[in-house]
Amino acid sequence: MSRLGFLLACALSASLAASLGAQSLTDRFKEVRGPWEIQLDRGDATSVRRGVEALLGREGLTVNPSDYNDMHALTALRSMAARACVAEGSWEDAVVHLQKAQAAAEENLATAEPLLAKTRAEHEVKVREFRDAMDKQAPRLRELDEAPGLNQDQMKLRQQLRIFMDEQKAALAHTERALKDIDGILDRLRQTKASTTKAAADWKAFLEREKAEITEAGGTTRFVTAKVEQVKSDDARPRQERLAYARRLQKLDPANKDVTRLLNGLTGKEEEPAPKPAKKRKAKK
């Protein structure tokens, strides 16, 4: 059993027993995360969004709030859904997902902190017990190690004490590692709460600035027309950034042909030829 598995067994034995044999959301996310990252790198944001939202719809609603691993996976899924929404130009939906990620992260930390604090306190008691037990037996073992000409009973006792000390040292080392794991888990949950809070606030503010710029430009059409020229000329930026913003502009003004041409260029799609006018039939005499 891994150290993390040991902590889960201590803190969440009841919930784990109930879900024995079932694949967790954490496991499912580990399976699909890599392929989704590749798809996002290729610019296939819509497929990723469909996949993430489908997984959230199937399994995200049944996550046990006391399972901090699955709650952490839920937060990560919401954040990935937001990334996919940003990449496809759906910024409003991205903000919704980020706010839900923030809420999940806050709930996870609020639930896990007292639970892990209790587990940590239990482990600290064990650490003191292991050390006290070794301190109590160390003088006797040292006395036997230093004594010359031990009889059979004394040699047997010395061997028993050595085994006891080795067991206590192993248990102490295991428990101290568990304490470090608990601290690491709490640090990760706190960092996730901070990062999701910041991301949700930043994108909400970004969306509000965009609305203000649209008003200042005199409407969506003028705003998009000006921005598309900026994206065309800013070819020093990574392709994925330009593609994501071009898709945003298309969401704002789907009829803008300059945006369509820009997207076609960024995705390597050939423009469809303009339809030929229908030939006029000669009137019969």
Side-chain angles (χ1 to χ4, degrees), residues 53-230:
E53 291 181 344
L55 181 57
L56 285 168
R58 288 194 309 271
E59 301 176 34
L61 300 177
T62 58
V63 171
N64 184 346
S66 65
D67 187 333
Y68 50 79
N69 281 318
D70 274 3
M71 286 294 290
H72 189 69
L74 177 63
T75 303
L77 275 167
R78 288 289 183 192
S79 296
M80 179 162 276
R83 286 173 57 199
C85 288
V86 168
E88 73 168 12
S90 304
W91 291 2
E92 293 84 358
D93 295 338
V95 170
V96 172
H97 276 297
L98 286 172
Q99 289 171 338
K100 289 181 179 180
Q102 177 187 350
E106 289 174 347
E107 181 182 3
N108 197 16
L109 182 60
T111 303
E113 270 187 321
L115 182 65
L116 291 176
K118 181 175 180 291
T119 305
R120 198 181 198 292
E122 292 169 355
H123 280 58
E124 287 174 338
V125 170
K126 289 296 182 183
V127 166
R128 289 193 294 271
E129 289 176 355
F130 294 142
R131 287 177 176 163
D132 289 346
M134 287 190 292
D135 289 344
K136 184 177 180 181
Q137 298 300 332
R140 181 59 175 150
L141 179 58
R142 186 165 52 250
E143 179 185 329
L144 290 170
D145 283 337
E146 295 172 354
L150 298 179
N151 60 36
Q152 196 70 28
D153 288 342
Q154 287 173 324
M155 286 191 289
K156 183 179 178 181
L157 176 59
R158 183 177 64 179
Q159 183 61 23
Q160 289 173 342
L161 286 172
R162 285 176 175 174
I163 293 171
F164 174 80
M165 295 293 275
D166 287 342
E167 289 175 346
Q168 295 297 300
K169 286 177 183 177
L172 176 61
H174 183 85
T175 306
E176 287 176 335
R177 287 195 299 270
L179 286 170
K180 288 182 179 179
D181 281 343
I182 291 173
D183 292 341
I185 291 167
L186 287 171
D187 284 345
R188 181 182 66 174
L189 298 188
R190 290 178 185 125
Q191 289 169 7
T192 301
K193 177 188 173 183
S195 63
T196 54
T197 299
K198 184 178 185 303
D202 287 350
W203 273 98
K204 183 180 178 182
F206 198 46
L207 201 57
E208 290 171 352
R209 284 199 301 273
E210 182 191 64
K211 290 178 181 177
E213 288 179 13
I214 289 172
T215 301
E216 186 178 346
T220 302
T221 301
R222 290 184 177 180
F223 173 81
V224 171
T225 299
K227 288 295 182 180
V228 75
E229 293 303 320
Q230 291 181 19

